[in-house]
Amino acid sequence: MGIRATGGKKRRPVVGIMTGSLHTENSSKIGSAISEFFEKKDVDVRLYQGLDAKRYLDAGVYLDKGFDYHYYSLFGYSKFDEPDILIISFGTISAVVDPLSLQDFLSRLPDVPVVILEDDTDIPNGIHVTIDNYQGMKACVEHLIDVHHYRDILFVSGPKGVPDACVRLRAFQDVMADHGLSIPEERIIYGDFTENVTKLVEEAIAQGGMPEAIACANDDMAKGAYRVVKAHGKTPGVDVAITGFDNIPTSAFMDPPLATVYQNFREVSKTAVEKALSFFSKDGGFTTCKLPAKFLARPSCGCKTPEKDEENGQVDPFTDKIERQRVIDELKVDNITSSLLIRNLFTEDITMSGFFENLGRQLALLSTRRSYICLLGEPKKIDERDKMFTPETMYMHLYQEGVSIVSYDEGEAPIIYPGDLAAYNTGEEKTQMATFLLFYGDIHYGIFCVELKTSQMLFYYTLSLEIGSSLRYLYLALDQKKTLQVLREKNQILDYTASHDPLTGYLNRAGVMAESFAYMHQFRTGSHFVAVMADLDHLKQINDTFGHDAGDDAICTAAKALAAALPEGAPLGRTGGDEFTCIFECSKDAEAEIHRFRTRVKAYCRNEDENGDRPYYIGVSIGCFEFAMGEEIDLTAVLKAADEGLYDAKKARRESVIK
């Protein structure tokens, strides 16, 4: 094999392996098989395995969409590893809600040769290892029509624009046309290659009735079809035939066993490895190839005797169930281990270097051979426009190798450019490193890289999620520490706590009274002021209807509306549950300034109503009283006069704030 030199130091070839979600059987199986075939080869391996939650959670489970915004970003970080070649299981990567094209995806990656799986789009500097999607689906649909004589078939396709999904759909359409069978519009639906297609299948049945057969473009979506059919009191394979595609390990043990198209994952993986190695050896074998796909008849299509599964064999269901329970038990232990590990990272006087030093010690105790954490200069908020965000530079905050730990504080960490991580991974022994994203919600922090065995992927993935959550609290703690330091230097921390309302952050009753006197005495005697008493409209109705969290939100919004309308420096305080007090200096034309103040408050509330998603209106009733400052001021009497104006203002408020 050719060995490339980096910085005067020879190193083994580096192969990057990119697959889809850890939570789907086919992508995990492909990634594990490729890694296994590389174990006996003198190459370094870099693993990038996706983390989209939609493939793991049921549709009914709520998860912040920010989780999936990060999905594609992981793969772009490969440019920091300086790989020599990439093996990309693009079918498992691209099958998400909002897929990228292959060309767009490759444009964000290092400019190196690639071996693409599940996609035969022509690309420069790359080859394809695919299965015959068309013939596989063709054989499946022909079996349903010719052997079982089904005519009314619902086809559950993968996402529009995903290559293998498009080919499988075309095969279905061609077979139906060859048999003179029409396809009503409602008999083709587009899923996302996950089990979460139940709603789509339900809608198709409601529109066109229960079909004779449901042909799915992969096995995961067939699982969703099983649930819908059984929910209607029907039996798969008896009342409604169901087929899949991929032959994932669990397909043979579904109830009933799933008829599916057999693609040999191990053969695909082995061929991909051989093609990558042929590139290094320059033996001319770096060429595109297509592997056959075979339909496996099983009871879910109506056949009585299942065909032999050449790849998975006839595994005893009881043994398989025990193995699955073992994996679940291990996952539970991993989750507990990672949670307990994170609890030891925070100290009373937390610093960034201290946090990462503690993390390095914990990783060493886990016998982690090597790991490092690189962060962005500043955390970045990600949304759907940042499909494949990767930074131009990062900062190395932790490097751990055995018990040797080096951690860095903010402003001290060495900068990392694309290709720099190759130096950290170069050693006498070959390595397999995995890269995981560090994020929380829609906030992106950087990456966690760790040397591991393929069997440890899920544990370190779980740990990366815990580290991402901890980084959120680390940054909050560091920000709070800076804030407290400023307050400490000014000797105001106790005064602040005593004079401010904890909910809104503005002054409390004692604070606003004290600040009002101080504010007015900045101006000369005879200056004119407006005292304001204000109430949030219908707080009780909001609390009773939507809960106290909604009421707290409404109180805070009302406070912001008043603050936005006040001149700079004018004191504002929350003096009761929904009551606010403020004072501001005005010209002699107090009436005009009072009108301007009311208008600004109303405009702020209207903007919140029109652009927010609250199921209630934000309304603020305002009472004002204009007065001139004398040598002695009876502030209580002034505020009482303003309160009388508030009483009149409340008569004009809405009868109800519910939208």
Side-chain angles (χ1 to χ4, degrees), residues 158-174:
K160 293 181 180 180
V162 173
D164 51 351
C166 294
V167 173
R168 295 171 193 180
L169 172 59
R170 178 162 55 84
F172 167 73
Q173 293 170 322
D174 288 351

Side-chain angles (χ1 to χ4, degrees), residues 274-385:
E274 291 172 347
K275 294 295 180 182
L277 294 175
S278 71
F279 166 77
F280 295 117
S281 63
K282 297 180 172 54
D283 62 3
F286 193 61
T287 56
T288 288
C289 72
K290 181 177 288 188
L291 302 174
K294 175 187 174 183
F295 177 69
L296 291 175
R298 290 176 180 152
S300 75
C301 70
C303 291
K304 302 301 181 183
T305 305
E307 291 190 53
K308 183 179 179 181
D309 182 341
E310 296 175 7
E311 180 181 10
N312 297 317
Q314 298 302 317
V315 180
D316 175 57
F318 180 73
T319 303
D320 180 71
K321 184 176 181 181
I322 293 176
E323 174 62 18
R324 290 179 179 282
Q325 186 59 49
R326 183 190 66 78
V327 172
I328 292 172
D329 290 342
E330 285 186 358
L331 183 57
K332 289 178 181 177
V333 172
D334 288 347
N335 286 334
I336 294 171
T337 302
S338 58
S339 297
L340 292 176
L341 183 151
I342 293 300
R343 289 176 178 267
N344 294 322
L345 302 185
F346 290 91
T347 58
E348 185 174 343
D349 187 25
I350 190 69
T351 63
M352 183 167 281
S353 61
F355 173 88
F356 285 119
E357 184 178 356
N358 290 340
L359 176 57
R361 289 198 187 103
Q362 297 298 319
L363 290 167
L365 289 173
L366 289 173
S367 299
T368 304
R369 182 176 176 183
R370 179 187 305 164
S371 68
Y372 46 84
I373 286 180
C374 298
L375 301 181
L376 312 182
E378 292 288 339
K380 178 176 172 59
K381 186 172 184 178
I382 302 293
D383 60 29
E384 63 270 18
R385 293 168 297 183

Side-chain angles (χ1 to χ4, degrees), residues 225-246:
Y226 266 52
R227 288 200 295 270
V228 174
V229 168
K230 290 179 179 180
H232 281 264
K234 306 291 185 181
T235 301
V238 177
D239 303 307
V240 181
I242 300 177
T243 62
F245 199 113
D246 284 338

Side-chain angles (χ1 to χ4, degrees), residues 316-602:
D316 175 57
F318 180 73
T319 303
D320 180 71
K321 184 176 181 181
I322 293 176
E323 174 62 18
R324 290 179 179 282
Q325 186 59 49
R326 183 190 66 78
V327 172
I328 292 172
D329 290 342
E330 285 186 358
L331 183 57
K332 289 178 181 177
V333 172
D334 288 347
N335 286 334
I336 294 171
T337 302
S338 58
S339 297
L340 292 176
L341 183 151
I342 293 300
R343 289 176 178 267
N344 294 322
L345 302 185
F346 290 91
T347 58
E348 185 174 343
D349 187 25
I350 190 69
T351 63
M352 183 167 281
S353 61
F355 173 88
F356 285 119
E357 184 178 356
N358 290 340
L359 176 57
R361 289 198 187 103
Q362 297 298 319
L363 290 167
L365 289 173
L366 289 173
S367 299
T368 304
R369 182 176 176 183
R370 179 187 305 164
S371 68
Y372 46 84
I373 286 180
C374 298
L375 301 181
L376 312 182
E378 292 288 339
K380 178 176 172 59
K381 186 172 184 178
I382 302 293
D383 60 29
E384 63 270 18
R385 293 168 297 183
D386 302 300
K387 281 187 179 179
M388 202 166 173
F389 165 77
T390 46
E392 293 303 315
T393 59
M394 299 186 293
Y395 296 86
M396 177 78 76
H397 281 275
L398 169 66
Y399 185 82
Q400 172 262 327
E401 188 166 7
V403 296
S404 177
I405 299 161
V406 180
S407 62
Y408 297 93
D409 224 328
E410 291 180 286
E412 300 174 355
I415 191 168
I416 302 295
Y417 294 96
D420 282 359
L421 293 184
Y424 289 91
N425 297 332
T426 300
E428 295 300 321
E429 299 180 21
K430 66 179 184 179
T431 60
Q432 176 170 277
M433 303 286 295
T435 299
F436 302 96
L437 284 181
L438 296 176
F439 66 95
Y440 182 87
D442 57 0
I443 304 300
H444 190 108
Y445 298 110
I447 56 172
F448 169 46
C449 301
V450 61
E451 186 173 351
L452 48 62
K453 298 177 181 178
T454 307
S455 59
Q456 297 174 305
M457 281 288 291
L458 195 54
F459 168 70
Y460 282 103
Y461 164 67
T462 303
L463 181 58
S464 73
L465 295 178
E466 294 282 1
I467 295 173
S469 299
S470 295
L471 286 174
R472 174 178 183 259
Y473 293 104
L474 173 65
Y475 277 101
L476 288 173
L478 293 176
D479 287 343
Q480 184 182 44
K481 185 177 178 181
K482 292 174 184 176
T483 301
L484 292 176
Q485 181 62 28
V486 171
L487 292 173
R488 191 176 296 112
E489 289 173 357
K490 295 182 178 180
N491 198 26
Q492 292 180 342
I493 187 168
L494 295 177
D495 289 342
Y496 183 88
T497 304
S499 61
H500 284 73
D501 170 45
L503 175 61
T504 64
Y506 294 99
L507 297 165
N508 57 22
R509 181 183 294 275
V512 76
M513 295 294 282
E515 289 291 330
S516 293
F517 280 107
Y519 172 75
M520 289 187 293
H521 282 297
Q522 297 177 51
F523 302 91
R524 61 187 178 183
T525 302
S527 297
H528 287 254
F529 297 87
V530 174
V532 177
M533 293 293 291
D535 268 1
L536 169 68
D537 291 342
H538 298 295
L539 173 61
K540 185 177 186 303
Q541 186 182 40
I542 295 172
N543 283 333
D544 291 347
T545 308
F546 304 107
H548 286 275
D549 285 346
D552 288 348
D553 174 66
I555 290 170
C556 292
T557 305
K560 292 175 184 177
L562 292 165
L566 286 170
E568 184 177 355
L572 166 66
R574 179 184 174 212
T575 51
D578 58 354
E579 182 182 89
F580 300 91
T581 298
C582 53
I583 288 178
F584 62 90
E585 188 263 348
C586 67
S587 65
K588 290 184 179 180
D589 189 1
E591 184 174 345
E593 297 218 24
I594 289 172
H595 176 73
R596 187 180 302 112
F597 173 75
R598 292 179 186 273
T599 301
R600 288 176 177 172
V601 173
K602 289 181 180 179

